[in-house]
Amino acid sequence: MMAYSEPAARAVAEEVARWGGMRQTGVTLRYMMEFGARPTERNLLRSAQFLRRELPIRIARRALDLDSLPFGLSTKPAILKVRDWYLDSFRDLRCFPEVRNWDDELAFTEMIKMIRVRHNNVVPTMALGVRQLKKDLGGTKAFPPGIDEIHQFLDRFYMSRIGIRMLIGQHVALHEPDPEPGVIGLISKRLSPMLVAQHATEDARAICMREYGSAPDVNIYGDPDFTFPYVKLHLQLMMFELVKNSLRAVQERYMNSDKHAPPVRIIVADGAEDVTIKLPNVFIIGMPISVRTFLVQISDEGGGIPRSGLSRIFTYLYSTAENPPDLDGRNEGVTMAGYGYGIPISRLYARYFGGDLQIISMEGYGTDAYLHLSRLGDSEEPLH
């Protein structure tokens, strides 16, 4: 964080407040796909000019939010660090001159790449701040009334972060000189959920093997030829988190048992209204959605979740991990294991494009997760 003199700091605060009060501009996915299908220099110049105006508004709003959190959360060292990242990014954007030509556009693109890198560890750093608050409050059993306000803030904050990174990532990806066929920036027009499920399974089983020495099998069912338009990075993140949770539940239930661990099952279904991914140990139920979606179901026999704990799985204030990362230790933010953020953030990624994630569990048996995902080309709703 750059050190400011008192007058300069006051001027920055006033500028942040002014931009944070401006109205942000919604962008539809259909527009992003149609615009990105022609990544000419003229279009990329227009995109950079739009982002130079739009990103300061979104980033200023988050900086203001970080300064006004309840229960003293704004004063925690980790939260202050995140706020400083947002202020630095706001300053970089506001100090960048007007984008008038191709050289300006290239320089602007390099600058927002650096902003994206600066914010890579926002989620784990925010998690550390919440842990600091929980420690000060004496643990989850001592939470005062009104603590849900923090959960609601984090939902808004992380949803906004997804939107900011989508805008930056899409613009940067459109500069790719040799894009994959059928890919527009970050959007794959013909993404195979079966293939993504396979890759997510390989990654999750590798981590399970590293931690436990073995990993349950994963069986994937569905049409291998089925594809749909979606952001591959988002689907990979959701699938990885859900499969990892299922593997952990099954592994810990059967690791000291004479019984063979049952496999985790992933089912991909393409319906007239829904594309569904079903994962045992994670259950996702359909909801009325105005565009066509598909469903992924993930199911496991990991013992399930007690009914008293179901209401907590989508909050950021609880974790089932016995030994989360040390509060003062070095954290690179590679995974969310130990913080309990994987499920709530996966639901935000699904909802970002009009889908949803819900969990249904049978205590003593297992859990199902149903992940409903919208077909992006059909959406006319402005993104967050």
Side-chain angles (χ1 to χ4, degrees), residues 342-355:
I343 293 295
I345 286 185
S346 292
R347 182 170 69 170
L348 291 182
Y349 272 101
R351 288 181 170 180
Y352 183 72
F353 289 128

Side-chain angles (χ1 to χ4, degrees), residues 226 228 269-277 285-296 353-356 371-376 378:
F226 166 61
F228 78 117
D270 174 25
E273 295 185 359
D274 295 309
V275 182
T276 304
I277 301 177
I285 296 179
M287 60 181 297
I289 299 175
S290 60
V291 295
R292 192 180 177 197
T293 64
F294 81 86
L295 176 66
V296 179
F353 289 128
D356 200 16
L371 183 59
H372 288 266
L373 302 173
S374 301
R375 299 172 186 275
L376 300 191
D378 296 334

Side-chain angles (χ1 to χ4, degrees), residues 290-315:
S290 60
V291 295
R292 192 180 177 197
T293 64
F294 81 86
L295 176 66
V296 179
Q297 179 186 1
I298 300 178
S299 302
D300 70 57
E301 298 174 32
I305 303 168
R307 187 172 61 174
S308 60
L310 277 175
S311 62
R312 300 177 176 181
I313 59 177
F314 288 112
T315 75

Side-chain angles (χ1 to χ4, degrees), residues 202-264:
E202 292 169 357
D203 292 342
R205 292 190 79 248
I207 291 178
C208 190
M209 290 287 291
R210 186 182 67 201
E211 290 202 13
Y212 299 104
S214 62
D217 292 332
V218 178
N219 298 332
I220 305 173
Y221 306 93
D223 181 359
D225 297 324
F226 166 61
T227 62
F228 78 117
Y230 209 76
V231 176
K232 181 179 180 181
L233 185 65
H234 290 189
L235 184 56
Q236 285 177 329
L237 182 148
M238 291 183 282
M239 292 289 295
F240 171 75
E241 289 295 342
L242 295 173
V243 173
K244 183 180 65 173
N245 279 2
S246 285
L247 289 175
R248 177 183 162 208
V250 174
Q251 184 66 26
E252 292 189 352
R253 187 184 190 196
Y254 287 90
M255 61 190 304
N256 296 318
S257 171
D258 294 334
K259 298 179 179 178
H260 181 71
V264 171

Side-chain angles (χ1 to χ4, degrees), residues 114-304:
M114 298 204 44
I115 288 178
R116 183 175 59 177
V117 171
R118 176 186 290 146
H119 291 247
N120 276 348
N121 280 344
V122 161
V123 174
T125 307
M126 289 292 292
L128 285 175
V130 172
R131 280 198 65 208
Q132 289 164 351
L133 176 64
K134 287 167 62 175
K135 184 178 180 182
D136 291 348
L137 292 176
T140 56
K141 293 182 179 179
F143 280 169
I147 199 72
D148 285 349
E149 186 179 343
I150 290 179
H151 167 72
Q152 293 163 7
F153 156 75
L154 290 171
D155 256 357
R156 294 193 307 270
F157 182 84
Y158 291 132
M159 183 67 88
S160 173
R161 181 176 184 269
I162 292 170
I164 290 170
R165 292 181 77 82
M166 181 68 195
L167 289 175
I168 292 177
Q170 180 71 1
H171 179 84
V172 170
L174 289 175
H175 288 73
E176 176 62 44
D178 188 24
E180 294 180 36
V183 175
I184 301 173
L186 297 179
I187 305 166
S188 298
K189 294 195 294 183
R190 295 182 294 277
L191 182 63
S192 167
M194 294 285 288
L195 193 58
V196 173
Q198 180 181 332
H199 291 161
T201 294
E202 292 169 357
D203 292 342
R205 292 190 79 248
I207 291 178
C208 190
M209 290 287 291
R210 186 182 67 201
E211 290 202 13
Y212 299 104
S214 62
D217 292 332
V218 178
N219 298 332
I220 305 173
Y221 306 93
D223 181 359
D225 297 324
F226 166 61
T227 62
F228 78 117
Y230 209 76
V231 176
K232 181 179 180 181
L233 185 65
H234 290 189
L235 184 56
Q236 285 177 329
L237 182 148
M238 291 183 282
M239 292 289 295
F240 171 75
E241 289 295 342
L242 295 173
V243 173
K244 183 180 65 173
N245 279 2
S246 285
L247 289 175
R248 177 183 162 208
V250 174
Q251 184 66 26
E252 292 189 352
R253 187 184 190 196
Y254 287 90
M255 61 190 304
N256 296 318
S257 171
D258 294 334
K259 298 179 179 178
H260 181 71
V264 171
R265 298 176 302 282
I266 302 176
I267 303 169
V268 179
D270 174 25
E273 295 185 359
D274 295 309
V275 182
T276 304
I277 301 177
K278 179 180 183 293
L279 302 89
N281 203 47
V282 187
F283 196 93
I284 308 166
I285 296 179
M287 60 181 297
I289 299 175
S290 60
V291 295
R292 192 180 177 197
T293 64
F294 81 86
L295 176 66
V296 179
Q297 179 186 1
I298 300 178
S299 302
D300 70 57
E301 298 174 32

